[in-house]
Amino acid sequence: MAKGKTFIISGPSGVGKGTIVKALMQTRPNTFLSVSATTREPRKGEEDGVHYHFIDVERFRSLIEQDAFLEYAEYVGNFYGTPKKYVDEAMERGEDVILEIDVQGATQVSAKRPDAVTIFVVPPSWEVLEQRLRDRGTDSEEKLQKRLVRAKVELQAASSYSYMVINDTVEEAVREVNAIMLAEHCRPGERLSLLSE
Amino acid sequence: MAKGKTFIISGPSGVGKGTIVKALMQTRPNTFLSVSATTREPRKGEEDGVHYHFIDVERFRSLIEQDAFLEYAEYVGNFYGTPKKYVDEAMERGEDVILEIDVQGATQVSAKRPDAVTIFVVPPSWEVLEQRLRDRGTDSEEKLQKRLVRAKVELQAASSYSYMVINDTVEEAVREVNAIMLAEHCRPGERLSLLSE
């Protein structure tokens, strides 16, 4: 059996990564969506092991020391990280793994796992991204403008990703991610080893 | 509009490249199947411009001198080559181009067009390839064994191809080639230029 592969999905805030990943998972039975560990308090409705693995700071620091994270970072006083264990177990079972992480996280994972495939989700245009952020209605104008500037900075990182998926419609974006995943399973390394079995 | 891309499809004799390409073309409206030029005589039922561009040796040699071929070779006294002109015109129209050529031809095209995507078609197993060659019923046992040896040698070249497609069923192989073609259109180079328009 072929081992699973790891696929990293990044993209600017408001681009619709979460929606794509959710729709993608419904089309792929043998795919594992990585759940991050965090030291922040669970919010209402969040379940341990589903939305996050909720652990305390002491445990998180101990896991850092054991090199148990593929990537981690600290945001406003809380730690967030991707535990290696579940990712590796899924790949051993032959499942592909989806990591929905940011550009900094992707850089860390790529350094440890150069064979991880990187996908950056972009809006069809800046106007569409701005409109989507406005439609959310959660940000002040100032915060919204900051998000847009940050998105343009992040897009510069996108050129180091293997693939860019345009989130015009969710269906089309999911079709592209599925194509990328299938194509990456057609790489000679994996297939030559299967053929010589 | 995005320019088309060139996709090279190679594989050992008997693996079913022709069947895959024919089925593939039926699923892809904006795709151009390159027709080779040759100096050999047309066989019964072969049409000029459809099966081959039939040209004389003098013209072929003149085209070689004009660097008008992406690749060419001589087999048993006849020349075969891929004219640049039609490939470039199709790509300018935004069409993807399929080149069904052998390993030597692919090496020549890759040198001239490093952005051409290379796909090698392999049988699900050696037993299946042998059976398919036998089922054709056109080869003597000696010739069949020679083809198998040659196929194993060619497979060593496959590791330098970008992708390997397993021809288990035609439907699955076509699905894989379509996925590769879509994935290759998700490369950042092309998409970043579209986003900045």
Side-chain angles (χ1 to χ4, degrees):
Chain A
M1 186 188 64
K3 253 184 84 172
K5 280 181 185 283
T6 297
F7 296 85
I8 294 172
I9 299 184
S10 304
S13 165
V15 80
K17 292 183 297 294
T19 313
I20 292 172
V21 167
K22 203 173 159 186
L24 179 75
M25 292 302 291
Q26 284 166 358
T27 68
R28 302 189 65 88
N30 287 315
T31 307
F32 176 79
L33 177 59
S34 166
V35 174
S36 297
T38 185
T39 58
R40 81 153 164 74
E41 290 297 311
R43 289 181 196 143
K44 206 182 162 220
E46 283 184 343
E47 278 179 68
D48 186 39
V50 177
H51 299 88
Y52 285 96
H53 298 287
F54 294 102
I55 60 180
D56 62 26
V57 177
E58 196 181 358
R59 173 106 180 101
F60 203 103
R61 287 195 194 279
S62 144
L63 289 170
I64 291 174
E65 277 179 27
Q66 292 163 47
D67 192 28
F69 291 111
L70 282 178
E71 56 86 33
Y72 71 93
E74 199 180 342
Y75 293 111
V76 280
N78 293 307
F79 282 109
Y80 296 81
T82 301
K84 267 184 195 168
K85 181 178 148 67
Y86 308 112
V87 169
D88 291 344
E89 284 172 357
M91 285 173 73
E92 285 299 328
R93 288 194 302 270
E95 296 176 19
D96 289 326
V97 173
I98 305 289
L99 301 183
E100 188 194 330
I101 53 179
D102 68 7
V103 172
Q104 282 77 19
T107 308
Q108 291 179 56
V109 177
S110 292
K112 285 188 177 156
R113 303 285 165 91
D115 54 343
V117 177
T118 51
I119 302 169
F120 198 90
V121 182
V122 292
S125 70
W126 293 116
E127 291 70 32
V128 168
L129 183 65
E130 188 169 343
Q131 195 54 53
R132 284 185 192 164
L133 286 169
R134 258 182 228 293
D135 291 348
R136 279 186 176 185
T138 51
D139 293 337
S140 64
E141 184 62 26
E142 192 197 337
K143 199 162 178 186
L144 191 142
Q145 291 303 328
K146 273 193 185 159
R147 277 195 201 275
L148 282 174
V149 170
R150 193 183 150 145
K152 292 196 183 192
V153 171
E154 281 185 346
L155 190 67
Q156 290 169 15
S159 59
S160 70
Y161 277 62
S162 302
Y163 299 98
M164 278 175 78
V165 162
I166 300 172
N167 189 15
D168 196 347
T169 67
V170 175
E171 293 68 30
E172 185 56 22
V174 167
R175 198 170 81 90
E176 290 187 349
V177 175
N178 270 319
I180 291 163
M181 294 177 76
L182 179 53
E184 286 293 334
H185 278 291
C186 298
R187 294 295 187 180
E190 182 177 329
R191 296 221 142 155
L192 281 169
S193 64
L194 286 177
L195 202 66
S196 61
E197 269 169 15
Chain B
M1 185 188 62
K3 252 185 84 172
K5 281 181 185 281
T6 297
F7 295 85
I8 294 172
I9 299 184
S10 303
S13 166
V15 80
K17 291 183 297 295
T19 312
I20 292 173
V21 167
K22 203 173 159 187
L24 179 75
M25 292 304 290
Q26 286 167 356
T27 67
R28 303 188 66 88
N30 287 315
T31 307
F32 176 79
L33 178 59
S34 166
V35 174
S36 297
T38 184
T39 59
R40 81 151 163 76
E41 291 297 311
R43 291 184 194 139
K44 205 181 163 221
E46 283 184 344
E47 280 178 67
D48 185 39
V50 177
H51 298 88
Y52 286 96
H53 299 287
F54 294 102
I55 61 181
D56 64 24
V57 177
E58 196 181 356
R59 173 107 180 98
F60 204 105
R61 286 195 194 279
S62 145
L63 288 170
I64 292 173
E65 277 179 26
Q66 292 164 46
D67 191 28
F69 290 110
L70 281 179
E71 56 86 31
Y72 71 93
E74 200 179 343
Y75 293 110
V76 282
N78 293 307
F79 283 109
Y80 296 81
T82 301
K84 266 185 197 168
K85 181 177 147 67
Y86 309 111
V87 169
D88 290 345
E89 285 172 357
M91 284 173 72
E92 284 300 327
R93 288 194 303 269
E95 296 177 19
D96 288 325
V97 174
I98 305 290
L99 301 183
E100 187 195 330
I101 53 179
D102 68 7
V103 172
Q104 282 77 21
T107 308
Q108 289 179 57
V109 177
S110 292
K112 285 187 177 156
R113 303 284 165 91
D115 54 343
V117 177
T118 51
I119 301 170
F120 199 89
V121 181
V122 291
S125 70
W126 294 115
E127 291 70 32
V128 169
L129 183 64
E130 188 170 343
Q131 195 53 52
R132 284 184 192 164
L133 287 169
R134 259 182 227 293
D135 291 348
R136 280 184 174 186
T138 51
D139 293 336
S140 64
E141 184 62 27
E142 193 196 336
K143 200 164 177 185
L144 190 143
Q145 291 304 328
K146 273 192 185 157
R147 278 196 201 274
L148 282 175
V149 170
R150 194 184 149 143
K152 292 194 183 192
V153 171
E154 281 185 346
L155 189 67
Q156 291 168 14
S159 60
S160 70
Y161 277 63
S162 301
Y163 298 99
M164 279 175 79
V165 161
I166 301 172
N167 189 15
D168 196 347
T169 68
V170 175
E171 292 69 30
E172 185 56 21
V174 168
R175 198 170 81 90
E176 290 187 350
V177 175
N178 271 318
I180 290 164
M181 294 177 76
L182 179 54
E184 286 293 334
H185 278 291
C186 298
R187 293 296 187 179
E190 182 177 328
R191 296 222 141 155
L192 281 169
S193 65
L194 287 178
L195 201 66
S196 60
E197 267 169 13

